[in-house]
Amino acid sequence: DIQMTQSPSSVSASVGDRVTITCRASQGISNWLAWYQQKPGKAPNLLIYTASSLQSGVPSRFSGSGSGTDFTLTISSLQPEDFATYYCQQTNFFPFTFGPGTKVDIK
Amino acid sequence: EVLLVESGGGLVQTGGSLRLSCAASGFTFRDYWMTWVRQAPGKGLEWVAHIKKDGSEKYYVDSVKGRFTLSRDNVKYSLYLQMNTLRAEDTAVYYCARVTRGNGYNLDYWGQGTLVSVSS
């Protein structure tokens, strides 16, 4: 199975900050990577697919990049509603493994 | 409006069975792959199983193979997960989710989840 890692596991940031989260796959997955946001007690929400495509309705302050094994999710200017946990997921090989998550909280 | 509503969760003893259902509306159910994802209390997300539009292909994570069976009824707009020989480690919120059409197996709509608790 492909192992997904994320760093950092948590980050404290302020409104307006630029936040970058890294996701790494244990082997190459081309650009078959998605990012999800999850708030406490809620289902995840798709933000980015195929590494860099913005899902409809998602604010443009979210962006993704990368291919192969290394990927990043960037929030250009953190907003109050962005405090949440973020997960990457590879969809190149079954099982479609998720990363362990990165919690973004208020500094 | 796309809606996915899970049901069937609850408390069950180790070795017992449960059948989860996911009722879909607001889209043409037979045109989409569907997925179950679970989340143990306080933990991350785990992809569990995946079924093709017509039910002809199914994929499972190794930890549930032979114990869980995924099925769908495209007439009733419903997805099912039959869970047998349940273990404590199956305790989780189970989400059903719709797979996007094209551009990979992304999950664009999710239900609210149903909690499965397995105790000894």
Side-chain angles (χ1 to χ4, degrees):
Chain A
D1 296 358
I2 294 180
Q3 306 304 314
M4 305 299 291
T5 57
Q6 288 182 232
S7 61
S9 57
S10 65
V11 56
S12 294
S14 301
V15 172
D17 284 353
R18 181 182 183 89
V19 173
T20 298
I21 298 168
T22 297
C23 176
R24 177 165 289 174
S26 60
Q27 66 184 78
I29 57 170
S30 184
N31 67 339
W32 297 114
L33 186 102
W35 288 97
Y36 296 87
Q37 175 195 66
Q38 187 180 34
K39 297 180 181 179
K42 301 293 186 182
N45 181 48
L46 176 65
L47 299 175
I48 301 284
Y49 61 93
T50 55
S52 59
S53 299
L54 192 67
Q55 173 68 359
S56 175
V58 174
S60 59
R61 61 181 179 273
F62 291 93
S63 64
S65 65
S67 68
T69 59
D70 295 313
F71 303 86
T72 59
L73 173 71
T74 299
I75 310 171
S76 60
S77 177
L78 199 66
Q79 298 302 301
E81 59 268 30
D82 301 336
F83 291 98
T85 300
Y86 294 84
Y87 295 93
C88 61
Q89 184 199 20
Q90 67 83 18
T91 59
N92 198 32
F93 302 104
F94 288 113
F96 293 154
T97 40
F98 287 90
T102 295
K103 185 176 181 180
V104 178
D105 59 22
I106 302 171
K107 181 184 279 184
Chain B
E1 179 192 9
V2 172
L3 274 180
L4 298 169
V5 180
E6 302 94 337
S7 61
L11 179 62
V12 62
Q13 288 192 323
T14 302
S17 298
L18 276 178
R19 188 195 196 205
L20 305 185
S21 299
C22 173
S25 61
F27 65 102
T28 305
F29 184 69
R30 65 178 178 271
D31 288 345
Y32 290 83
W33 289 65
M34 297 293 294
T35 292
W36 287 96
V37 173
R38 67 184 178 183
Q39 187 168 36
K43 302 297 184 183
L45 302 170
E46 181 182 33
W47 176 87
V48 174
H50 200 84
I51 186 167
K52 196 176 179 179
K53 293 182 284 187
D54 61 2
S56 61
E57 295 179 29
K58 305 169 190 180
Y59 301 87
Y60 302 90
V61 68
D62 282 351
S63 59
V64 308
K65 281 181 184 174
R67 300 188 300 123
F68 289 13
T69 302
L70 183 52
S71 62
R72 64 189 295 162
D73 185 329
N74 286 345
V75 173
K76 294 183 177 179
Y77 273 45
S78 292
L79 180 71
Y80 306 103
L81 186 66
Q82 178 66 43
M83 304 187 297
N84 297 331
T85 319
L86 282 161
R87 305 168 180 167
E89 56 266 33
D90 296 318
T91 294
V93 173
Y94 285 73
Y95 296 100
C96 72
R98 189 182 82 167
V99 179
T100 57
R101 296 179 69 180
N103 295 313
Y105 295 95
N106 313 296
L107 307 176
D108 61 351
Y109 285 93
W110 298 61
Q112 84 289 350
T114 188
L115 177 62
V116 172
S117 297
V118 184
S119 72
S120 54

